[in-house]
Amino acid sequence: MQPDSSTALDDKGLDLTELDLKIVSLISIGKHPTSGRARRAEQDGRAVELGMVLAEATGDKQNLTVIHAGDSQLEAQQAALRSYAGMGLGAVRVLQMRDSADAINPLSEYLYKHAPDIILTGVHAESGESSGMVPYLLGEALGWPVVPRIANIVSIKNGVAEILQALPRGQRRALAVRLPFIASVDNAAPAPRQSAFGPASRALMDQKVSQSDVDGVRNAWSELPARKRPKRLKVVKAKTGAARLKAATAKPQGAGGKVMKEQSAAEQAQAIFDLLLEEGVLR
Amino acid sequence: MAFEWLNPLLIATALLLAVVGAVRRVNLWRAGQPESVDFVAGLIAMPGRYLHDLHDIVERDKYMSKTHAATGGGFVLSLLMIILVHLLGINNQVLGWALLASLALMFVGAVFVFKRRLNPPSRLSKGPWMRLPKSLLAFSGAFFILTLPVAGVLPEGAGGALLTIVLSIFIAMGLSEMLLGMTWGGPMKHAFAGALHLAFHRRPERFGGGRSTGLKPVALDQRVLGVQKPEDFKWNQLLGFDACVQCGKCEAVCPAFAAGQPLNPKKLIQDMVVGMAGGSDAQYAGSPYPGKDVGQANGGPLLTMTEGLIDPETLWSCTTCRACVEECPMMIEHVDAIVDMRRFLTMEKGSTPNKGAEVLDNLIATDNPNGHAPTSRMNWAADQNLPLLSDVKETDVVFWVSDGAFDMRSQRILRAFVKLLKAANVDFAVLGDEELDSGDVARRLGDDATFQSLAKRNIATLRQYKFKRIVTTDPHAYHCLRNEYADFADGLFDTIEVLHHTTYLNELVQAGKLKLNSYKGGTVTYHDPCYLGRYNGEYEAPRELLRSLGIKIAEMERSGFRSRCCGGGGGAPITDIPGERRIADMRMDDVQTTGAELIAVGCQQCTAMLEGVVEPRPQVKDIAEILVESLVEPLVQERH
Ligand code: SF4
Ligand code: SF4
């Protein structure tokens, strides 16, 4: 197991001063779980936090652009967007579109035009479809790799970022990813800094009108609060405390599957390809 | 006499330099923000404020009040006559005798100052303050001898040149302390700034026995929210800092200081002076912030105070208990200054420590500090059948439930109070889910934006209904509703009375609406909650209630206006700045010395803090709970 390196940035004092790094964090309107009110979304807040840390490490906070595609005219939404700005952003760029429209087109057009190096998003939104598809659809549109559920970006050297990906039970996987890429930020990433009222209320809502299509599919749906699913009880037949602890902390043993470490990259790719064919993902 | 030109010259020079210093000092204060003050009325009221308000506080220490009256009074009288006699040369025997008398008075006072300084308590500052009694003696002694010929006791020119020179040295010494020191930053500065502070105080309502404890609202469209640099204070706040006499009365009562947290209200005020005048705190000769060395802090009028002058931890240690303000003879407002700087930290820097940010986020998103569903506010009363204002529209008494609704221990207090209300047949109703957090914690944590939002929405809700009184079991909500909402309520509270439940229950008991058996337990003591006592002046009702149960209260040494905080106010449990002891433990030690088996309390926060002390310890109960146990329940209660 790798050590948790969520504090690695502070320890090493990540220094990117030589880099001309353009970072974009995408934000959405969150929804508070008990009150249902609009708020700063937890994961998107982390995407902004990580973006801010990277931009601060380059020595120029302007290297981070925070973008929201949606309708910033509505009061509650405006307040939520401002609560991101309260983290110390001078401005939030809003790709202004109707609330019912699909955000993918305006976003991918904008991102294609401005060509940042890193795009950070949450894993999935707290309201609406909450499908978690935005990073993938953007990745497809831009032709960029997508790194899901990252916990931190440890370093960036020679156009390659060293990333810690969050795995269940506090485990991390170290990845090396060439820029540019899209990453979704997991709850395991450092929590977003406090939002302060003064900077929030003074931040610029930099609106750009954008063309977008009405999301016909989604508008046909009606939204209901999610029901809690019953939890499957896990019966642990352990005799000793140590065994119980082991059962509680063990990795789920996936049936089947195999670990391919020794084989060549081509063989590994072939194995994945075969599996995807077998599962009917690729046709 | 030889050198007869010397002394008038010394006096004239000293007076002139004092005036120059005064102008410079006034300009330091004027760097602050504008605040409108009735200058004429203030100046006229000043002597009265000195003789009554200030002296009433000094009077708590009899030794010092007599000493100060003799020294200060003697000095002011002497100075006036010295100008007449020794500067203008009026050679009148009666005047001479009068001057001798007032100098003698001052000298006697100075002797007592000297005695106090032989073995000074730790709260007093040393350094230049140790020099002060000698300067007082030199001043009064030298002028006494110099005045003898005027009174005709000694012939003109007696003693010769040598004596004159020696006298002149003492006179120069005394004058520079008393006149130059007054306006150039010596210990006597307190007299000059203090007099003006009394005249131009930011809370003139405090004089004449009044009370002014509500925090002042922040204009949310300002360039900077809260106080970042000394010049962001109002000018009369800066003046107030300069009035400090470094008596350390505030230090001696500060619970955070006693707990070894890095806060000392006296040092804090001195640091404000350093910030205002520029420089370092190396000259400071009093107790430090516990755990922090003196001499590291630097400041200036245009520098951010929390970067180099004051550690944010110092500001977050304060429980806003107001004990310091209550004890300060110069009527300095420590809590205002502390919250002003917290406002900057929270609303501009976003650096509320520990759980602060989380609590504020919850208040914004759910209107309660713990993020509970806003629709679950009435869950505690599922079995109580309480009338809702949204149904009845009109009632006598609105029971303000407060966030105690979400806490199981506090719910016991709420239930007890409801039972009493029902037993007394009170026509009351609650707001239910329409009630929001009062904003107390948000405001003390420096988030005035959230406070104002909560306050305005609560006021809008209250405005929809007809009622005469609001009663609450939570002194913090009580303080907000009674003293702080009026700034946003457009006269709504002119016709509404806000009461703490102990006040209201006492009214019911005295009117015979509640029948009570006498109390059968052991010794009882009473803990005054800061927000009920010092903030609202209610010391009597809770005691009268206990007495009406036949309880003889075993008072703690620190009770009434001197009550020691439980450690739960001002968001202190949320920011949780480490110290050497816990404030609640120290309060429990106070309780233990009375031998009480039960602590009567009038606040859910105090209850939580005191019950957090490890057992064995006395029981903690809210007065409502104690009353319910003694309640004689009406046999048949047929009401519709
Ligand atoms: S602030 Fe007030 S109580 Fe504290 S040392 Fe100064 S004058 Fe005394
Ligand atoms: S209000 Fe209380 S805790 Fe704060 S400085 Fe004054 S005495 Fe200390």
Side-chain angles (χ1 to χ4, degrees):
Chain A
M1 196 191 285
Q2 280 137 359
D4 183 328
S5 318
S6 61
T7 55
L9 286 183
D10 312 329
D11 297 349
K12 287 186 215 151
L14 182 72
D15 182 9
L16 306 173
T17 32
E18 298 305 309
L19 292 181
D20 179 31
L21 195 68
K22 295 283 176 242
I23 307 142
V24 163
S25 294
L26 301 182
I27 57 173
S28 62
I29 309 290
K31 190 170 183 175
H32 193 275
T34 62
S35 72
R37 279 191 216 157
R39 65 157 178 177
R40 171 176 74 172
E42 297 215 325
Q43 292 165 350
D44 298 1
R46 286 171 162 80
V48 174
E49 175 68 34
L50 185 51
M52 289 180 83
V53 171
L54 292 176
E56 279 156 14
T58 66
D60 183 2
K61 282 164 103 182
Q62 301 301 325
N63 279 336
L64 170 70
T65 313
V66 172
I67 300 178
H68 171 70
D71 192 350
S72 70
Q73 314 284 346
L74 306 169
E75 202 180 311
Q77 314 222 336
Q78 162 99 231
L81 291 180
R82 287 199 177 279
S83 71
Y84 289 98
M87 295 166 72
L89 308 170
V92 171
R93 184 147 301 165
V94 182
L95 306 180
Q96 179 67 32
M97 51 177 232
R98 259 169 304 154
D99 212 26
S100 54
D102 191 341
I104 293 300
N105 281 344
L107 276 177
S108 52
E109 258 168 49
Y110 180 95
L111 293 169
Y112 183 76
K113 206 164 101 205
H114 291 84
D117 301 295
I118 299 176
I119 301 173
L120 301 169
T121 74
V123 175
H124 53 72
E126 295 179 351
S127 61
E129 275 171 68
S130 194
S131 64
M133 286 300 283
V134 170
Y136 296 100
L137 293 171
L138 289 177
E140 187 182 35
L142 298 170
W144 291 9
V146 176
V147 192
R149 293 192 172 274
I150 71 169
N152 216 337
I153 295 180
V154 186
S155 73
I156 301 172
K157 271 188 216 102
N158 309 322
V160 176
E162 195 190 319
I163 299 179
L164 290 180
Q165 191 178 34
L167 300 177
R169 296 187 178 77
Q171 298 176 91
R172 300 286 183 271
R173 176 189 285 140
L175 300 171
V177 181
R178 180 161 294 280
L179 304 179
F181 63 86
I182 300 175
S184 65
V185 180
D186 190 82
N187 280 342
R193 65 195 68 185
Q194 187 177 356
S195 174
F197 178 84
S201 57
R202 287 189 286 265
L204 176 69
M205 288 292 130
D206 177 12
Q207 294 187 0
K208 298 234 179 311
V209 180
S210 65
Q211 287 301 314
S212 58
D213 311 322
V214 170
D215 188 341
V217 181
R218 179 179 149 194
N219 290 339
W221 298 346
S222 60
E223 256 181 63
L224 285 176
R227 260 184 301 134
K228 267 220 164 70
R229 295 213 197 123
K231 236 196 193 148
R232 192 184 292 266
L233 282 178
K234 204 161 87 188
V235 185
V236 181
K237 291 197 208 81
K239 291 250 157 49
T240 63
R244 253 197 307 281
L245 182 70
K246 206 170 154 207
T249 54
K251 271 196 252 185
Q253 296 299 319
K258 55 184 167 189
V259 179
M260 300 174 72
K261 274 187 178 162
E262 311 296 310
Q263 291 86 339
S264 74
E267 276 175 71
Q268 292 174 349
Q270 186 63 44
I272 295 173
F273 187 72
D274 290 345
L275 179 76
L276 292 178
L277 268 185
E278 198 183 308
E279 297 284 335
V281 179
L282 293 178
R283 257 170 269 190
Chain B
M1 178 170 105
F3 308 117
E4 64 263 10
W5 47 269
L6 183 59
N7 290 324
L9 185 71
L10 279 177
I11 299 170
T13 319
L15 280 172
L16 194 71
L17 286 174
V19 171
V20 174
V23 171
R24 286 173 45 119
R25 208 75 207 171
V26 169
N27 279 331
L28 287 182
W29 305 330
R30 279 163 46 106
Q33 301 301 305
E35 170 98 328
S36 66
V37 162
D38 190 340
F39 287 92
V40 179
L43 284 172
I44 294 174
M46 190 241 285
R49 290 174 180 177
Y50 171 76
L51 289 172
H52 300 294
D53 301 285
L54 188 147
H55 228 265
D56 285 353
I57 300 176
V58 182
E59 189 70 14
R60 293 172 191 165
D61 179 349
K62 290 274 187 312
Y63 180 98
M64 213 44 225
S65 88
K66 295 209 178 78
T67 305
H68 189 264
T71 325
F75 168 66
V76 173
L77 286 177
S78 306
L79 185 64
L80 290 176
M81 288 188 279
I82 283 171
I83 291 175
L84 295 179
V85 173
H86 294 292
L87 183 64
L88 304 178
I90 298 173
N91 208 339
N92 175 311
Q93 202 164 347
V94 179
L95 197 60
W97 276 106
L99 178 52
L100 282 184
S102 77
L103 284 168
L105 181 68
M106 180 178 171
F107 192 87
V108 172
V111 169
F112 282 99
V113 180
F114 189 82
K115 260 183 69 187
R116 154 88 34 134
R117 286 278 162 183
L118 283 180
N119 196 1
S122 68
R123 62 178 167 83
L124 289 177
S125 288
K126 316 294 180 308
W129 294 87
M130 297 306 279
R131 182 187 75 207
L132 183 61
K134 292 168 204 146
S135 309
L136 291 169
L137 290 173
F139 181 93
S140 48
F143 271 110
F144 190 88
I145 298 173
L146 196 69
T147 308
L148 288 175
V150 181
V153 179
L154 280 180
E156 201 72 37
L162 187 64
L163 177 67
T164 318
I165 289 177
V166 171
L167 272 188
S168 296
I169 290 172
F170 278 116
I171 282 173
M173 195 176 133
L175 281 173
S176 56
E177 181 77 270
M178 303 306 290
L179 292 179
L180 300 194
M182 197 178 275
T183 60
W184 290 84
M188 284 306 291
K189 179 182 63 153
H190 80 273
F192 170 56
L196 294 179
H197 177 52
L198 286 182
F200 309 138
H201 201 281
R202 192 164 176 234
R203 296 175 178 275
E205 310 84 11
R206 281 187 65 195
F207 299 107
R211 201 170 291 279
S212 167
T213 54
L215 294 174
K216 311 265 181 191
V218 177
L220 293 174
D221 50 3
Q222 264 170 351
R223 180 182 50 88
V224 182
L225 302 178
V227 166
Q228 175 182 19
K229 308 166 187 162
E231 59 157 26
D232 295 333
F233 282 116
K234 304 287 181 208
W235 71 270
N236 48 1
Q237 285 180 285
L238 294 178
L239 164 60
F241 302 146
D242 245 354
C244 173
V245 275
Q246 303 198 32
C247 65
K249 294 265 162 82
C250 52
E251 166 186 323
V253 293
C254 176
F257 179 80
Q261 289 172 275
L263 168 62
N264 174 350
K266 175 172 96 170
K267 170 82 162 69
L268 180 104
I269 298 300
Q270 285 314 303
D271 283 350
M272 299 294 98
V273 175
V274 168
M276 163 172 72
S280 99
D281 68 339
Q283 301 302 313
Y284 174 72
S287 329
Y289 297 127
K292 296 208 187 301
D293 292 335
V294 172
Q296 316 293 323
N298 290 289
L302 298 177
L303 298 178
T304 303
M305 284 185 285
T306 44
E307 294 163 10
L309 182 61
I310 263 200
D311 188 333
E313 286 208 335
T314 296
L315 303 174
W316 295 115
S317 297
C318 173
T319 68
T320 68
C321 72
R322 263 186 99 80
C324 49
V325 183
E326 186 77 39
E327 290 292 346
C328 178
M330 306 310 283
M331 309 193 91
I332 294 167
E333 296 281 346
H334 314 65
V335 178
D336 283 356
I338 289 171
V339 174
D340 278 341
M341 289 183 279
R342 284 183 178 189
R343 286 169 168 173
F344 171 73
L345 290 174
T346 292
M347 289 197 287
E348 293 293 348
K349 304 281 279 185
S351 62
T352 325
N354 284 322
K355 292 276 167 204
E358 191 184 319
V359 166
L360 294 175
D361 276 348
N362 283 336
L363 283 169
I364 292 169
T366 63
D367 306 321
N368 68 73
N370 294 316
H372 296 293
T375 49
S376 63
R377 197 171 265 279
M378 280 300 280
N379 289 4
W380 71 275
D383 57 346
Q384 300 283 312
N385 198 17
L386 300 184
L388 286 177
L389 268 166
S390 51
D391 297 334
V392 297
K393 309 284 181 207
E394 199 180 327
T395 184
D396 262 358
V397 171
V398 172
F399 170 29
W400 188 274
V401 176
S402 84
D403 291 334
F406 296 108
D407 172 65
M408 297 232 274
R409 174 64 183 91
S410 307
Q411 288 167 8
R412 295 200 334 242
I413 303 174
L414 299 175
R415 273 173 223 283
F417 183 58
V418 165
K419 192 162 181 188
L420 294 168
L421 286 177
K422 287 182 173 167
N425 279 337
V426 174
D427 173 23
F428 76 100
V430 294
L431 287 167
D433 290 343
E434 283 189 298
E435 188 185 307
L436 315 175
D437 176 272
S438 63
D440 167 68
V441 165
R443 187 164 237 202
R444 294 338 116 181
L445 288 180
D447 189 350
D448 222 45
T450 301
F451 166 77
Q452 291 184 20
S453 153
L454 290 163
K456 284 175 188 161
R457 285 182 289 144
N458 274 326
I459 289 165
T461 305
L462 289 171
R463 218 180 263 292
Q464 298 169 31
Y465 306 117
K466 260 187 80 181
F467 56 91
K468 298 189 199 98
R469 298 170 137 190
I470 304 177
V471 180
T472 178
T473 49
D474 174 12
H476 298 264
Y478 171 49
H479 168 65
C480 288
L481 287 162
R482 183 172 181 233
N483 303 319
E484 297 189 339
Y485 273 25
D487 286 331
F488 312 95
D490 224 349
L492 175 67
F493 285 91
D494 296 350
T495 52
I496 299 173
E497 207 183 352
V498 186
L499 298 171
H500 186 246
H501 72 306
T502 54
T503 316
Y504 186 61
L505 288 172
N506 191 36
E507 232 182 82
L508 294 177
V509 169
Q510 303 308 326
K513 299 238 175 74
L514 285 171
K515 297 268 169 294
L516 301 167
N517 288 324
S518 56
Y519 177 76
K520 285 187 268 308
T523 324
V524 180
T525 189
Y526 171 66
H527 165 75
D528 290 272
C530 307
Y531 276 75
L532 183 60
R534 280 187 293 270
Y535 275 80
N536 284 291
E538 183 58 279
Y539 303 110
E540 239 343 274
R543 291 185 164 78
E544 205 165 292
L545 273 175
L546 292 174
R547 283 197 296 266
S548 64
L549 293 174
I551 293 172
K552 219 175 140 289
I553 306 165
E555 292 283 5
M556 288 179 265
E557 189 186 318
R558 288 186 62 174
S559 65
F561 74 86
R562 284 225 159 114
S563 171
R564 192 208 294 262
C565 180
C566 69
I574 297 164
T575 53
D576 199 19
I577 303 299
E580 283 155 21
R581 282 169 294 279
R582 291 179 64 252
I583 295 176
D585 291 347
M586 296 189 301
R587 188 54 171 161
M588 194 55 79
D589 290 345
D590 293 350
V591 172
Q592 304 278 20
T593 55
T594 66
E597 287 156 39
L598 175 68
I599 313 162
V601 178
C603 171
Q604 63 211 24
Q605 185 73 30
C606 298
T607 310
M609 295 305 290
L610 293 173
E611 279 192 345
V613 175
V614 287
E615 309 235 26
R617 51 150 175 75
Q619 269 198 303
V620 186
K621 276 186 192 158
D622 190 274
I623 293 194
E625 296 177 282
I626 301 174
L627 287 181
V628 157
E629 286 167 12
S630 304
L631 184 66
V632 183
E633 295 192 43
L635 286 179
V636 192
Q637 199 183 16
E638 198 109 36
R639 281 208 305 140
H640 293 287

